[in-house]
Structure formats: structure tokens, C-alpha cells
Amino acid sequence: MSIVNSLSPRAVAAPESGIVEVVNYARGREGLLPLWVGEGDLPTPDFISRAAMQALAAGETFYTWQRGIPELRRALSDYYFRHFSVRLPLEHFYVTGSGMQAIQISVQALTSPGDEFVYLTPAWPNIAAALEIAGARSVGVELQFEGGKWGLDLDRIEAAITPRTRGLFINTPSNPTGWTATGKDLGQILALARKHDLWIMADEIYALYHFAGGRAPSFLDIMEEGDKIIFVNSFSKNWSMTGWRVGWIVAPPEMGQVLENLIQYSTSGVAQFMQKGAVAALDQGDDFVRANIAKAARSRDILCDALVATNRVETLKPDGALYAFLKIDGVTDSRRAAIDIVDKTGVGLAPGTAFGAGGELFLRACFLRDPGQIAVAAERLCDYIVKL
């Protein structure tokens, strides 16, 4: 008997990431243009790394506040005041070991085994996996795809709600589709959550990557005292800190001890010197973020214009986030296509099969890279597509 048979069934059932599968297949190849994962091409800015190194050199290597150092929570409060025009006290903020851990802790806080959580699909696969590993059931509701654009059908969401439903996971702007909820969409979703007494877990990690100008609409714009909303976020995308694994939660202060306990029994907090780097990101990083957004907008236009010009690709420029989610004529197996594309073009794409129902025929490309690199990737992809 295999030793695996003696492990937890929930752990054994955890799926391999369809994104990581392709990454591992071709990682390290010469001349590779890696558009498969959600990160840019720049390392962490020096002002962030320097702050962390200075704290490390000063001996800030001891156990620290499990909710996050007060300085970082203050910086988060200031960040939300600048960008969302809300002043939240420090008691709303909890620092986590990545955005993924923010999701895991939120799932643990909000669900019990057998509960259901509704999410919009195609979706970043980690939310469904986090729910299933915790013993809850993930219930995907497909966004509508028409004319290259994704849209929300509120009736589908309500039809998926059962007596076991505990909440709604809403990622906007969305990974991978770029769907971005309007203020009206968010109002309707919030009204639905209030009607059925549901939690909303809001993933607004891409809120600043909103190409119509300004940040995207947020539940913070419309929520009222008593609304059951928890926000999960990460330093990864805005400040080129994917490898740091630092994130945060925004939640009602009444949840404070529960969330602190869950942090205690997982990581016991984020290293203080890393948190000092995160403080620098928030306090000094707005110009860097603006430059990243401008670069993403230019690269989005280059990539999408080239692909659409082949007359073989169905997609539109996304309203937000960092991804072109593209449907190529004749591609019926996106996993196989991703392998073939990286073999023949040296461009790494994520297969749509990794993103659940509705994504099977698509491929995802992250365009947060130098426009020159994106132009090369677009040329290689277009040459491949027209030869299909």
C-alpha cells in the first residue's frame, strides 16, 4: 500500500496547479519570455529592499506583533486614505505571510467543513483549492463571455446560493479575465449578500490597475457599518514583491482576536525586517506603482492589438488587472497548447484549464513587462497563431 493512502484525503485531493505545471516544464529555458505567472519583470525597488536590509542589520529578527507592527498597520491605514478616501483605524488591519495566507486565514475564519462559498469563474485557482482543503465546498459561477468581453449575471449568483452558503468571493479587477465590476455591480452583489446574510471576501489586489483611470470601484465605496466584508490583499503586484510573501487582511475589529489566533497557529507573524520593507513600499512607493500601471497599459495595448489583428484571436483589452485572456481559433485543449507554444515560440502562457469552468479554451498572458519584450512576445505568438 502506498504511504499516500494514509494521508489526509483533503490533502491528497489538493490539485496540482495547472500554471505551475507549465512553468516547471519550461523553467530556465534560454530566450524564454515568461508571461505565465502574475508578476512583472522588475525586481523589488531599492528603497524597499534597503529598508528591509537596514532593519535586518539592526537586529530586528525577534518575534514581533502577530497582527503586524504598528508602523505597518499605520502605513496601511494611510494607503487606504490616499487611494480609497476612507480612514480606517489600525484595528482593521492584519499582516499575513502573503495574499495566499490572507485567503487561507479568511477561509478558516468564515467556513466550517461542509459549508459552501460561491466564487466567479474563470478564477485564480487558489481560492477554490483553499476552500476545498479547509473542508468547505467551492461553488463556481461562470461569468458571461460575449464579443470578447466578460460580464456578470447576478441571477446566476443567486441561483447558486443554498442554505449551506456562507459567502461570496469577489475578485475585481479579475484574474484571469480582467473583468472589472462597476459600482452598480458591487451594489447589487452587496444587496444580495445582505439579503441572504452572507459574507463577502473581496480580493481587490488589482484595484489600482484600472485602465479607465483612477482605481477600480471598491466595496469600500458603498459598504456600511455592520456589512460582513473581509478584504484580502498582497504587496506582490503593486510593488514587485512577489517573492517576499507579505499580504494583509482588512476586517471588522471584532474579528481581531480570531484572526490573530489563526496567524499565531500558522506562522506566528511576518518577520519584522520584512515588514519594514513593506512600510517603505506603502510610504514611498506611489510613484513606482504609477509607473508600473503606465507600463502595463502600454504593454496591454501592444499585445492585444497584435493578437486581435490576426483575426484568429477573440479578446478585448481588459478593463483592469494584468492579463490578456485570449481565445485562439482552433485551440480546444489549452493545456496542450501552452506546452506547444512554449516549445515552438519560447513564450510562456498559462493554460485556461487552470482557471476552472469557462476558461478551458483560453490562455492567459501577463503583460506587466517592458513594452519591448511584450512586442517580441506578440510577434512570436502571432506568427504561431497564423500558422495554425
Side-chain angles (χ1 to χ4, degrees):
M1 177 184 294
S2 169
I3 195 170
V4 173
N5 292 332
S6 66
L7 301 179
S8 160
R10 290 207 298 265
V12 173
E16 178 185 12
S17 166
I19 305 169
V20 174
E21 179 191 11
V22 181
V23 172
N24 287 340
Y25 172 75
R27 188 194 302 268
R29 293 192 188 184
E30 186 176 351
L32 181 71
L33 290 173
L35 311 186
W36 39 33
V37 296
E39 65 180 357
D41 56 339
L42 294 179
T44 303
D46 180 66
F47 67 89
I48 298 174
S49 298
R50 187 169 59 250
M53 289 188 290
Q54 289 171 348
L56 182 60
E60 297 185 31
T61 57
F62 296 93
Y63 289 131
T64 187
W65 286 267
Q66 292 173 134
R67 299 187 187 196
I69 60 175
E71 187 179 353
L72 179 51
R73 296 165 75 205
R74 184 273 308 158
L76 283 165
S77 180
D78 291 345
Y79 169 82
Y80 276 91
F81 184 69
R82 290 196 308 276
H83 293 286
F84 294 84
S85 300
V86 294
R87 175 59 77 183
L88 298 173
L90 270 58
E91 291 74 23
H92 287 263
F93 298 101
Y94 310 85
V95 180
T96 61
S98 74
M100 185 63 238
Q101 192 194 33
I103 289 174
Q104 285 182 316
I105 286 173
S106 299
V107 165
Q108 290 168 1
L110 301 183
T111 67
S112 298
D115 286 343
E116 298 175 355
F117 226 87
V118 174
Y119 70 104
L120 302 177
T121 183
W124 183 52
N126 293 34
I127 176 57
L131 287 163
E132 299 288 341
I133 291 170
R137 179 170 174 258
S138 59
V139 179
V141 173
E142 289 187 43
L143 292 166
Q144 294 177 305
F145 181 71
E146 186 174 352
K149 196 170 183 65
W150 298 87
L152 178 72
D153 185 338
L154 197 72
D155 291 338
R156 290 188 184 184
I157 298 178
E158 185 154 29
I161 295 170
T162 75
R164 303 285 312 184
T165 305
R166 286 284 291 161
L168 311 173
F169 180 86
I170 306 296
N171 170 218
T172 173
S174 166
N175 173 9
T177 63
W179 169 77
T180 302
T182 64
K184 180 180 178 181
D185 291 332
L186 296 181
Q188 292 175 332
I189 292 169
L190 181 54
L192 188 63
R194 289 168 176 166
K195 174 183 176 182
H196 294 277
D197 192 26
L198 302 177
W199 276 93
I200 291 174
M201 192 188 310
D203 179 349
E204 297 183 354
I205 188 172
Y206 300 104
L208 300 187
Y209 288 90
H210 182 231
F211 302 113
R215 53 99 176 151
S218 167
F219 283 108
L220 288 165
D221 300 328
I222 58 173
M223 65 185 295
E224 299 175 358
E225 186 74 24
D227 282 329
K228 298 197 298 186
I229 303 178
I230 188 169
F231 297 84
V232 294
N233 216 312
S234 169
F235 285 87
S236 291
K237 315 300 181 179
N238 286 347
W239 299 280
S240 296
M241 296 173 67
T242 51
W244 288 61
R245 317 312 301 138
V246 184
W248 74 86
I249 293 170
V250 183
E254 295 90 335
M255 297 178 66
Q257 194 58 53
V258 172
L259 295 176
E260 181 172 346
N261 293 345
L262 292 172
I263 292 170
Q264 161 65 24
Y265 301 124
S266 54
T267 59
S268 298
V270 175
Q272 185 165 323
F273 64 89
M274 293 171 62
Q275 293 192 55
K276 287 296 183 69
V279 170
L282 292 166
D283 285 351
Q284 304 173 43
D286 281 357
D287 287 344
F288 178 80
V289 174
R290 280 190 285 267
N292 252 353
I293 295 168
K295 178 170 71 173
R298 292 195 301 272
S299 293
R300 176 198 68 156
D301 292 348
I302 291 168
L303 180 62
C304 292
D305 287 345
L307 292 172
V308 170
T310 66
N311 292 317
R312 300 287 306 278
V313 174
E314 190 175 1
T315 191
L316 292 178
K317 296 176 185 178
D319 295 327
L322 304 174
Y323 311 101
F325 205 48
L326 49 120
K327 184 178 181 182
I328 302 172
D329 287 350
V331 169
T332 57
D333 184 338
S334 62
R335 177 187 173 276
R336 181 178 298 176
I339 297 293
D340 193 48
I341 287 170
V342 77
D343 281 341
K344 293 180 179 177
T345 73
V347 177
L349 302 179
T353 49
F355 301 96
E360 298 88 348
L361 301 180
F362 292 79
L363 292 144
R364 190 194 72 175
C366 177
F367 47 69
L368 183 56
R369 300 186 74 83
D370 178 82
Q373 292 184 26
I374 292 296
V376 173
E379 182 178 359
R380 294 182 189 178
L381 289 171
C382 290
D383 184 62
Y384 173 88
I385 290 167
V386 298
K387 292 177 180 177
L388 286 176

